Amino acid sequence: KDVEEDSSSASENESERPAPTPSSSSPVPQPPTANNSATKAASALIIAANDKAGMEGIDRERINSILLRESGNSTFMQRQRKMDENTNRKIDEMKKRLQSKDSMASNNWRREIEHSTIEPLLQNFRRQRRPTSTCVVIDMDGFFISCHTMLNPNLAKIPACVGGIGMISTSNYVARKYGVRAAMPGYLGKALVDELSGGKESLTFVKSDFELYKRKSAETRAVLEEYDPNLKMYSLDEAYMDIGPYLEVQLLNQKGDLSHGDIQEQLLAKPNSIAEGQASAPEGKNEKYFSNQLPNKEIHELFPLCTIHDAAK
């Protein structure tokens, strides 16, 4: 998994280290070829499984070639190989345990686990689930560098990242066009920008400022809590919301004259009853009432989430 916004300690500890250099005794890696299995194995250690937003249309083949050439037998590559070996060892151990269980246990042991453990858990979750939940995941894109860009708008025009030569924690969209991304050593990001821009641009490193990130995260959370007072945040830049109660209050108001402030007051006044799907339903109506009342419209028509973005700005 990419170490983006939560790679704080690694980024801080490695930001001032000098760029690792390939060992003079090690062979210089060759550009990827179909017949070079060793090169393929090395490239798998440094090539991301998926691109970040803003990396569409990049010259992936050329970027991979530069990354492999610059990595060589550096400390970064040695660490990547060790991590890869540890992962493969864990996979092999899990396969052996599975084979051992298959040879000793009943052929139906998987089905027995489904009946005894998994299905009861699923039934319990279904009973607890609100019938009209509308779950939303908020992931703030390039959060660290975006915080700095708010203070220094010029950063939006140049390749920039948060971190240092040792490790990058996140990069802006200009840098991503050169293949620079989170969890990449800064010296590799610098090499990408230098070479792919033909020397016209260089990668700007911005030092982490976690007090700034905490303030901006709190400001954003305050806006989001107006729509879900019970939201959960498991990092500075990720929020998990259920806007179902907000929608229920809004849509069940026949007059359509409730303001955002009015809805917010109802959410705060009766959080438990609304969270249980009982937002002011007419007497005698069951839980299906809410589902039946929802108009046949797309979610963005019912609830313009762009207002959250506008408020945050």
Side-chain angles (χ1 to χ4, degrees), residues 222 225-227 229 246 259-269:
E225 283 182 335
E226 295 180 9
Y227 300 88
Y246 188 101
S259 67
H260 170 65
D262 295 331
I263 299 175
Q264 188 182 5
E265 287 183 6
Q266 288 199 35
L267 292 177
L268 295 174

Side-chain angles (χ1 to χ4, degrees), residues 8-238:
S8 56
S9 58
S11 177
E12 287 295 292
N13 293 335
E14 299 186 12
S15 61
E16 303 304 325
R17 293 182 185 176
T21 56
S23 170
S24 58
S25 60
S26 60
V28 177
Q30 300 300 315
T33 63
N35 298 323
N36 193 336
S37 58
T39 300
K40 284 184 178 180
S43 358
L45 299 177
I46 58 175
I47 297 172
N50 61 293
D51 288 336
K52 304 287 289 183
M55 299 180 74
E56 301 84 0
I58 62 176
D59 189 344
R60 172 55 65 191
E61 184 176 352
R62 189 177 177 192
I63 288 172
N64 290 344
S65 177
I66 295 171
L67 291 175
L68 186 58
R69 184 194 71 213
E70 294 295 323
S71 296
N73 194 36
S74 65
T75 303
F76 169 74
M77 283 297 289
Q78 294 175 21
R79 183 169 64 245
Q80 291 296 99
R81 290 191 183 97
K82 185 175 181 180
M83 291 171 59
D84 194 55
E85 290 170 359
N86 289 338
T87 300
N88 288 336
R89 185 174 64 253
K90 291 178 181 179
I91 293 174
D92 290 339
E93 291 173 354
M94 293 173 68
K95 287 182 176 179
K96 288 179 181 179
R97 290 202 303 269
L98 182 61
Q99 291 172 355
S100 176
K101 191 169 182 64
D102 280 336
S103 62
M104 297 173 59
S106 164
N107 291 334
N108 296 322
W109 69 270
R110 291 182 177 83
R111 187 59 184 162
E112 291 171 359
I113 290 180
E114 289 180 15
H115 281 302
S116 63
T117 305
I118 298 177
E119 290 183 0
L121 283 174
L122 289 177
Q123 292 174 5
N124 186 46
F125 290 142
R126 291 191 185 102
R127 285 193 296 268
Q128 296 178 21
R129 185 178 60 187
R130 298 178 61 255
T132 55
S133 293
T134 302
C135 296
V136 178
V137 178
I138 306 292
D139 187 350
M140 303 177 210
D141 189 27
F143 179 58
F144 285 3
I145 192 64
S146 296
C147 291
H148 291 284
T149 304
M150 293 181 68
L151 301 180
N152 181 7
N154 288 330
L155 289 174
K157 305 173 185 178
I158 60 176
C161 66
V162 173
I165 288 296
M167 185 60 65
I168 293 172
S169 60
T170 190
S171 60
N172 67 1
Y173 274 50
V174 182
R176 291 181 189 185
K177 287 300 181 183
Y178 293 108
V180 181
R181 55 174 296 145
M184 171 182 286
Y187 76 92
L188 290 180
K190 183 178 184 303
L192 287 173
V193 176
D194 289 344
E195 184 164 335
L196 295 176
S197 71
K200 296 179 180 179
E201 292 191 292
S202 60
L203 183 62
T204 296
F205 294 95
V206 181
K207 188 176 181 180
S208 299
D209 184 349
F210 282 90
E211 291 304 316
L212 171 64
Y213 309 150
K214 290 176 183 177
R215 289 199 306 272
K216 294 305 177 183
S217 179
E219 291 173 11
T220 307
R221 177 170 186 151
V223 174
L224 298 178
E225 283 182 335
E226 295 180 9
Y227 300 88
D228 178 10
N230 302 309
L231 68 83
K232 304 293 183 184
M233 292 191 71
Y234 297 104
S235 68
L236 291 174
D237 70 323
E238 294 180 358

